[in-house]
Amino acid sequence: MTDAISREQAIEIVQNRCKRYTTACVLAVTEIKQLPPIQPEIVRCKDCKHYEYGICKKAGVCVNKSPNGFCDWGERREVT
């Protein structure tokens, strides 16, 4: 899974780090604002490493018993 921070957090980091380099700071902030939003990866239960035989090992008895369902704990199973 990819780590992500919010656009506002990234801008704050840049502004705090480059107070002396105003032009560079403005350019960096402008580029951050133009980045496309990150789409979260949705892992379906059937492809999740926690899902076996219709049961989620992470959540126990899961409300969503559909192989096409998904949850916050979804982690893609490695293909061997």
Side-chain angles (χ1 to χ4, degrees):
M1 182 173 259
T2 303
D3 291 338
I5 63 171
S6 72
R7 190 179 313 271
E8 292 78 21
Q9 288 172 317
I11 290 170
E12 184 179 332
I13 291 168
V14 170
Q15 289 173 336
N16 288 338
R17 298 284 183 201
C18 62
K19 291 180 182 178
R20 290 185 187 172
Y21 305 103
T22 313
T23 304
C25 186
V26 170
L27 291 173
V29 169
T30 301
E31 286 187 40
I32 292 169
K33 288 180 178 179
Q34 293 174 352
L35 291 171
I38 295 174
Q39 299 297 319
E41 179 185 15
I42 295 176
V43 178
R44 301 288 173 192
C45 293
K46 65 184 177 185
D47 301 321
C48 181
K49 72 180 188 179
H50 302 295
Y51 188 77
E52 287 186 12
Y53 308 109
I55 297 173
C56 178
K57 296 186 291 180
K58 188 85 172 186
V61 178
C62 186
V63 174
N64 181 6
K65 296 183 180 186
S66 169
N68 288 318
F70 59 93
C71 71
D72 293 341
W73 292 313
E75 294 180 64
R76 192 164 302 283
R77 178 181 296 127
E78 290 188 30
V79 179
T80 55

